[in-house]
Amino acid sequence: MSNHNPIGIFDSGIGGLTVASAIKRALPNESIVYYGDTAHLPYGDKSKELIAQYAVSITDFLLKEKNCKAIVIACNTASAAAYETLRDSYKGTVPVINVIDPMIEEVISDDALSNVGIIATKTTVNSGVYQEKLSRRKPKLEYHALATPLLASMIEEGFYNNTISEAVLKEYLSDSSLKDINGLVLACTHYPLIKKEIDRFFHGKVKIFDSAEVVARKLKWILEKEHMTSDGAMAEDHFYVSDYTAAFEAATRIFFAREVKLELCKL
Ligand code: DGL
């Protein structure tokens, strides 16, 4: 395995590009291979078994065909449904990083927090993974998980920073379970795009946690610790999707800060 090998990153679609973008900022010398499973989007309302099946075939592609040196599951739903399966299946080969554990570390290390909200897809909330990890690691912390299923598709359709997103967010964030929170975890990789709006809703009084930066930092720490960083000599990025549309390609601009060319690759 060479240090020049790429980092494999995948998501149900293009929302995980927020994580890919943070990784490129934190590790500019690295090559990435991104896979967006747009043919099976959204994962947020699918069963754990089906998502695990998709995650295994994507990881096989990233490892066997693209020789990736690390795998980042840039999707909370896939992390909740398939991380254990992937970790156990590829044990001893390459590091597999999910978006949930680094976030749990970040939240529990902040002693100013007493009451934390978690917003995510239905599958992530119903998996109970955030609730279980938080209660085990910090039993005194109060937490409330709320499914916000409209948000990912709303953002993907370009509805953010406008009156529609404001109304949808107001409806969700006014939920009584979030009344007394002083921290909020954006537990979906689409949500960094609405971070500012959420902050405005709470008048800056709630600390908002977004997984993109947290996960990029964790990956950088692992690659440096394992002496696996690249010097950038052959850096080249590729972005694959399981279903190509021009709309997906245009939307990459909002998640990755620039439009990227999507290559069709059915698994
Ligand atoms: N990006 C996915 C996540 O982080 C949500 C989108 C979906 O439902 O597929 O959970």
Side-chain angles (χ1 to χ4, degrees), residues 146-220:
L146 178 74
T148 48
L150 281 182
L151 296 185
S153 15
M154 177 188 89
I155 295 164
E156 213 143 287
E157 288 299 324
F159 290 105
Y160 58 96
N161 265 328
N162 63 19
T163 49
I164 293 178
S165 57
E166 197 183 318
V168 174
L169 279 172
K170 188 170 177 219
E171 181 69 26
Y172 280 138
L173 301 177
S174 304
D175 192 274
S176 60
S177 65
L178 303 181
K179 196 163 66 69
D180 297 318
I181 57 169
N182 59 358
L184 181 70
V185 176
L186 307 187
C188 172
T189 52
H190 282 67
Y191 298 176
L193 272 93
I194 47 172
K195 189 173 176 179
K196 283 202 185 105
E197 280 181 87
I198 294 176
D199 190 45
R200 271 201 300 278
F201 176 86
F202 288 112
H203 306 289
K205 291 192 177 115
V206 167
K207 184 167 177 185
I208 319 263
F209 292 85
D210 130 24
S211 50
E213 304 294 336
V214 174
V215 171
R217 268 205 308 277
K218 175 77 179 184
L219 175 67
K220 186 167 191 268

Side-chain angles (χ1 to χ4, degrees), residues 11-13 15-16 40-45 74-78 99 120-121 124 152 156 187-191:
D11 176 42
S12 57
H40 299 126
L41 181 81
Y43 281 3
D45 55 7
C75 172
N76 282 265
T77 313
V99 284
T121 65
T124 302
E156 213 143 287
C188 172
T189 52
H190 282 67
Y191 298 176

Side-chain angles (χ1 to χ4, degrees), residues 15-90:
L17 284 172
T18 55
V19 178
S21 172
I23 289 173
K24 287 297 286 182
R25 282 195 301 276
L27 292 158
N29 287 340
E30 300 295 330
S31 302
I32 60 168
V33 175
Y34 182 89
Y35 192 92
D37 195 8
T38 46
H40 299 126
L41 181 81
Y43 281 3
D45 55 7
K46 295 201 168 52
S47 72
K48 202 175 159 170
E49 292 69 27
L50 191 60
I51 296 167
Q53 210 175 299
Y54 296 150
V56 167
S57 59
I58 296 168
T59 306
D60 271 349
F61 165 74
L62 293 171
L63 292 181
K64 294 176 187 157
E65 290 186 39
K66 299 293 159 192
N67 297 314
C68 290
K69 63 179 177 184
I71 298 293
V72 178
I73 313 172
C75 172
N76 282 265
T77 313
S79 296
Y83 171 62
E84 271 81 15
T85 308
L86 297 184
R87 183 198 57 195
D88 298 345
S89 310
Y90 302 99

